[in-house]
C-alpha cells in the first residue's frame, strides 16, 4: 500500500482512445488491467478526462479544407487536428467500462474551452487556465505522483512534464501507457523528454516492492 502522500493519476482511459474508438490508440485497452492492479494500492486515485465541446478547435471537422494530422494555428498556438473525440457526455468520452475505479476517485476534466486544447491534466496548452488538479494535490498533501494511461506521447507526457515542473516527485508507469505515434522514434523522444525533466520512467511492478 502506498502512503497517503502518494497518488495515482489515470490519464484519459476513455472509450474513444481504445481500439474501435474515435481516436483509437493501438493496444490502448492493455493499460486497463495495469490500472486495475495499481488502483487498490492507493488511497488517492485521480483520473483525467478529455472533455471537449462538439465544436472544439482541435477537431479537423471545425477547419474546412484541413485534414486529421494537419497542424494549424489556433490563436497563437500550433494545434494538431484530431478526429472528433471525447465529446462531452458521449459514450466515447466515458471511462472504459473495464476500468475498476472507486466512487471516491477525483475527476479532472480538460479541453472544455472550444478555443484551446489541453493535453496536460494540470493546465491548458497555453498554460493560462488551471484545471484545479494542482490545488487538489496541495490540499491533500500529495508529494509523489504515479502517472499512467493514454496517450504516452500526448496527455501522459504533458501531465508528467507539468507535474515535474510543479516539483512533485513524478514517475510514469510505462507499461501502463500506450502511444498515439506509430513510429518508435516519437515514443523514444517523448520518454527522453520526460526523463530530461526529472520524471522517472518505471514499470508498474515497482510500486508493489
Ligand atoms: C489526447 C490527443 C487529443 C490524449 C487527447 O489523451 O493523449 N491526445 N486529445
Ligand atoms: Zn482531446
Amino acid at each position: 500500500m502506498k502512503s497517503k502522500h502518494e497518488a495515482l493519476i489515470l490519464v484519459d482511459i476513455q472509450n474513444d482512445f481504445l481500439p474501435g474508438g474515435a481516436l483509437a490508440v493501438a493496444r490502448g485497452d492493455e493499460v486497463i488491467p495495469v490500472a486495475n492492479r495499481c488502483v487498490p494500492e492507493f488511497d488517492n486515485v485521480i483520473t483525467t478526462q478529455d472533455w471537449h465541446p462538439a465544436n472544439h478547435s482541435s477537431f479537423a471537422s471545425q477547419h474546412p479544407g484541413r485534414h486529421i494530422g494537419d497542424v494549424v494555428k489556433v490563436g497563437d498556438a500550433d494545434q494538431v487536428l484530431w478526429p472528433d473525440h471525447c465529446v462531452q457526455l458521449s459514450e466515447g468520452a466515458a471511462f472504459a467500462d473495464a476500468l475498476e475505479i472507486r466512487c471516491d476517485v477525483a475527476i479532472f476534466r480538460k479541453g472544455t474551452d472550444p478555443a484551446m486544447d489541453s493535453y496536460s491534466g494540470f493546465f491548458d496548452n497555453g498554460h493560462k487556465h488551471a484545471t484545479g488538479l494542482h490545488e487538489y494535490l496541495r490540499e491533500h498533501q500529495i508529494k509523489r505522483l504515479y502517472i499512467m494511461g493514454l496517450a504516452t506521447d500526448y496527455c501522459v507526457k504533458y501531465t508528467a512534464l507539468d507535474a515535474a515542473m510543479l516539483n512533485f516527485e513524478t514517475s510514469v508507469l510505462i507499461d501502463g501507457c500506450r502511444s498515439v505515434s506509430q513510429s518508435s522514434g516519437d515514443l523514444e523522444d517523448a520518454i527522453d523528454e520526460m526523463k530530461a525533466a526529472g520524471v522517472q520512467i518505471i514499470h508498474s511492478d515497482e510500486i508493489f516492492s
Side-chain angles (χ1 to χ4, degrees):
M1 193 75 189
K2 307 307 283 183
S3 90
K4 65 181 178 17
H5 299 293
E6 297 175 288
L8 177 67
I9 301 184
L10 303 175
V11 176
D12 296 9
I13 307 183
Q14 295 167 259
N15 290 325
D16 271 343
F17 298 121
L18 303 182
L23 210 176
V25 175
R27 295 162 54 215
D29 53 327
E30 293 176 4
V31 309
I32 298 170
V34 179
N36 290 346
R37 262 198 312 277
C38 293
V39 162
E41 295 297 307
F42 288 85
D43 289 329
N44 301 290
V45 179
I46 292 153
T47 63
T48 66
Q49 192 171 27
D50 215 30
W51 195 249
H52 298 308
N55 65 343
H56 196 257
S57 57
S58 74
F59 296 170
S61 61
Q62 301 301 305
H63 303 267
R66 301 303 191 116
H67 301 98
I68 291 164
D70 287 355
V71 179
V72 301
K73 284 275 181 214
V74 174
D76 299 336
D78 286 335
Q79 175 67 54
V80 181
L81 297 183
W82 303 103
D84 292 17
H85 66 279
C86 296
V87 172
Q88 294 170 4
L89 300 175
S90 70
E91 195 49 34
F95 293 120
D97 283 337
L99 186 63
E100 294 163 9
I101 42 179
R102 300 181 300 261
C103 58
D104 64 347
V105 71
I107 302 171
F108 290 88
R109 290 176 168 160
K110 61 189 180 60
T112 56
D113 177 352
M116 178 59 81
D117 210 357
S118 187
Y119 294 143
S120 162
F122 290 94
F123 302 102
D124 65 42
N125 290 0
H127 268 243
K128 291 201 178 76
H129 179 82
T131 59
L133 175 56
H134 186 203
E135 280 211 303
Y136 177 91
L137 295 172
R138 262 203 316 244
E139 278 167 12
H140 287 78
Q141 298 176 38
I142 306 292
K143 308 275 181 248
R144 176 155 197 93
L145 297 175
Y146 297 86
I147 301 173
M148 58 161 286
L150 304 171
T152 326
D153 43 351
Y154 285 93
C155 293
V156 170
K157 179 180 93 169
Y158 287 102
T159 300
L161 292 177
D162 280 343
M165 185 263 295
L166 294 168
N167 289 318
F168 293 96
E169 286 177 64
T170 306
S171 295
V172 164
L173 305 176
I174 199 67
D175 55 310
C177 302
R178 294 292 181 277
S179 61
V180 168
S181 160
Q182 298 303 309
S183 78
S184 61
D186 288 352
L187 175 58
E188 288 308 314
D189 287 351
I191 289 172
D192 288 347
E193 213 179 315
M194 290 191 278
K195 282 183 180 165
V199 175
Q200 294 184 53
I201 306 294
I202 67 174
H203 191 279
S204 64
D205 286 348
E206 291 183 48
I207 71 165
F208 298 95
S209 56

